[in-house]
Amino acid sequence: MHRFLDLQSLTARDETALTEAFVRVLRSGWFVLGPEVEAFEVEFAKACTSNHAIGVGNGLDALSLILEACCQLGRLARGAEVILPDNTFIATALAVNQAGCVPVLVEPDQDSWLIDPQRVEAAIGPNTGAIVAVHLYGRLAEMAQLRAIADRHGLLLIEDAAQAHGAFDADGRSVGSLGDAASFSFFPVKNLGALGDAGAVTCNDPELADAVRRLRNYGSSEKYVHSAKGVNSRLDELQAALLRVKLCRLDEDTRERRALAQRYLAGIDNPQITLPQPPAPEASHAWHLFVVRSSERDALQAHLLAQGVPTLIHYPIPIHRQAAYPEFADLHLPISTMLATQILSLPLYPGMPDALVTAVIDACNSFVSTGSTAQHEDSPCR
C-alpha cells in the first residue's frame, strides 16, 4: 500500500547532509539562538525576497507573535477584529485569540476555495484591524485585491503562509513578501519541513522584525533586560541547521510539485470530481496539497483506497463548527460547510513514484457515481 506522504524517503535524500549538520551543532556546544539560526534567517529571508526572517518555535507562534508585536507597537488595537477564512486550520484563529483580538470568520470563494476579497470587504466594521490571508493548500490568495482593500480601510494585511513556501505571484514576488508580515510553519510535512516543530516570521519592516525578535525571547533583546512581556518561542539551533540543508532543495522540490499538479490537472477527467483552479498566468502555487471536490466524497475516498490510493481530508470540520468556538455555532457559512463535506486531498510530493501518480489518475477517472450525494444541512447545493 502506498503512503499519502513518504516522509522517510524525502528525509533519506539528505541523510548525509542532515547528519553532518547535526554533528556540526552537537560539536559547537551552542544550541539556542546561535550562528545556525542567524544563517538560516538570512537564507530564508532571501528565499522569500524579504528583508527580515525571524525563526520561532512553530507556525502558530509565528502568526500570534506578528499580531502581538503589532499590538505592542500600537498598530493593532487589543480586542480588534481580525478577518480570516473559516475553511482553514484552527491555528489561524487561535493566533488571533492569543494576541487578545477577535476572529471574524468569512466564507471562501466557491470556485477557488480561498478567502474571498468581496466577503472580506463586506465583513469590515469599525473595530476591524487586520486581515489574515491564508494561502490554503499552498495556493495563492488574491493578494492584490486584499492589499487594495486593506489600504483603502487602513488595515494590516498578514499572510498565513504555513503551506505556501516557494509560491510567487504574477509579478514574481514571493509569498512572505506580499503583506505587512507573513507566518510560516516548518512542521515536518510542510514543503519546507524541519525534523520537529519550527516556524518563522518574514517582513520588510525593521521595527516589526525587532519586536518579534524580542517577543520570541521573553521580550528581551539584551540578557536580563526585558522591554516587553514576551514568550519563549525560539527556533532551535539544531532545527535551523537541518532547515538550511532542506532549504537548498526547496526550489527543486517546488518545481516537481508543480509538474505533478499539472499531470493531475491534465489527466484527471471525471464529471464527479472538481479539480482545483490553476494559478493565474505568470503566478505559481506551491501545491502543498492537491485537493479535489466531489459531492460523493466518501464514496470517492473508498473507491480510491480500494485502488491502492491513500487520501486525507484537510479539513473535515470548519472553524465555526469546532467545539473550541461555541461563539460561532450559530453562524451560517454554507460554502465552507459544504467544502468540508466534499474536499479530498490526493497524494502529491517530490519523489512520488510514477506508478502512484498513474494510479491516482486512473482511480479518479474510473470512479462511477453511486447516486448518493452527501449534503450538509446548510449546504448551498441543497
Side-chain angles (χ1 to χ4, degrees):
M1 179 68 180
H2 293 289
R3 297 173 179 172
F4 180 81
L5 173 64
D6 190 349
L7 206 53
Q8 287 89 338
S9 69
L10 287 174
T11 305
R13 300 177 304 170
D14 298 312
E15 184 171 340
T16 299
L18 291 169
T19 301
E20 290 173 354
F22 173 81
V23 172
R24 185 173 70 243
V25 174
L26 180 67
R27 292 176 177 172
S28 75
W30 198 335
F31 305 120
V32 177
L33 292 186
E36 296 290 347
V37 169
E38 291 176 2
F40 174 72
E41 289 176 339
V42 170
E43 292 160 5
F44 189 64
K46 182 179 179 181
C48 296
T49 61
S50 293
N51 293 338
H52 305 278
I54 306 96
V56 298
N58 54 69
L60 170 58
D61 285 356
L63 184 53
S64 65
L65 287 172
I66 291 170
L67 295 165
E68 178 63 27
C70 289
C71 287
Q72 293 197 11
L73 291 172
R75 303 180 185 183
L76 182 65
R78 198 73 71 182
E81 295 179 346
V82 177
I83 298 172
L84 62 139
D86 182 43
N87 64 319
T88 185
F89 185 55
I90 197 171
T92 312
L94 293 176
V96 174
N97 290 118
Q98 287 185 3
C101 295
V102 180
V104 174
L105 305 177
V106 297
E107 290 266 65
D109 178 84
Q110 189 161 341
D111 296 321
S112 72
W113 319 334
L114 299 170
I115 188 168
D116 186 337
Q118 291 185 342
R119 289 184 170 90
V120 167
E121 188 151 34
I124 293 172
N127 296 322
T128 306
I131 302 164
V132 177
V134 179
H135 301 302
L136 192 65
Y137 313 139
R139 300 173 62 226
L140 281 168
E142 294 287 349
M143 292 302 294
Q145 294 183 49
L146 292 170
R147 179 78 272 173
I149 292 169
D151 290 346
R152 191 156 56 244
H153 295 274
L155 306 176
L156 295 168
L157 177 60
I158 299 165
E159 298 176 81
D160 182 338
Q163 302 179 346
H165 322 69
F168 56 83
D169 70 6
D171 295 321
R173 299 179 304 162
S174 297
V175 160
S177 66
L178 305 177
D180 296 299
S183 62
F184 287 87
S185 168
F186 304 127
F187 188 69
V189 301
K190 295 297 194 284
N191 292 23
L192 177 61
L195 303 189
D197 270 322
V201 170
T202 60
C203 65
N204 290 322
D205 184 334
E207 185 180 36
L208 179 58
D210 286 345
V212 173
R213 285 192 190 96
R214 286 194 302 273
L215 288 172
R216 73 171 176 184
N217 189 35
Y218 302 101
S220 173
S221 55
E222 179 183 351
K223 193 170 184 179
Y224 301 132
V225 178
H226 304 269
S227 58
K229 296 182 178 70
V231 298
N232 178 2
S233 181
R234 302 173 295 207
L235 176 62
D236 288 343
E237 278 288 284
L238 178 58
Q239 295 300 342
L242 301 175
L243 283 166
R244 293 182 68 196
V245 172
K246 300 185 81 174
L247 181 59
C248 294
R249 278 195 183 268
L250 180 59
D251 286 346
E252 176 188 348
D253 282 353
T254 305
R255 285 193 294 271
E256 186 170 350
R257 287 178 179 275
R258 289 168 183 149
L260 290 170
Q262 187 55 45
R263 285 187 64 182
Y264 283 165
L265 291 170
I268 298 174
D269 184 12
N270 187 326
Q272 302 302 321
I273 299 173
T274 301
L275 299 175
Q277 289 182 336
E282 307 305 322
S284 190
H285 296 326
W287 295 107
H288 171 59
L289 296 167
F290 191 93
V291 181
V292 300
R293 270 182 56 201
S294 176
S295 60
E296 300 182 64
R297 192 266 311 282
D298 294 347
L300 172 62
Q301 186 174 38
H303 169 78
L304 293 176
L305 184 61
Q307 301 299 312
V309 174
T311 59
L312 292 175
I313 300 171
H314 302 84
Y315 303 97
I317 306 174
I319 293 174
H320 81 283
R321 291 297 178 89
Q322 295 284 357
Y325 283 102
E327 63 268 36
F328 296 142
D330 293 332
L331 288 181
H332 180 66
L333 301 174
I335 296 175
S336 61
T337 301
M338 175 267 293
L339 287 174
T341 69
Q342 295 190 359
I343 51 174
L344 189 65
S345 300
L346 305 181
L348 185 154
Y349 57 88
M352 184 173 165
D354 189 71
L356 177 55
V357 180
T358 301
V360 171
I361 294 171
D362 290 346
C364 285
N365 288 340
S366 65
F367 175 67
V368 177
S369 173
T370 63
S372 56
T373 302
Q375 293 185 342
H376 195 276
E377 61 191 31
D378 58 0
S379 168
C381 300
R382 285 178 66 85

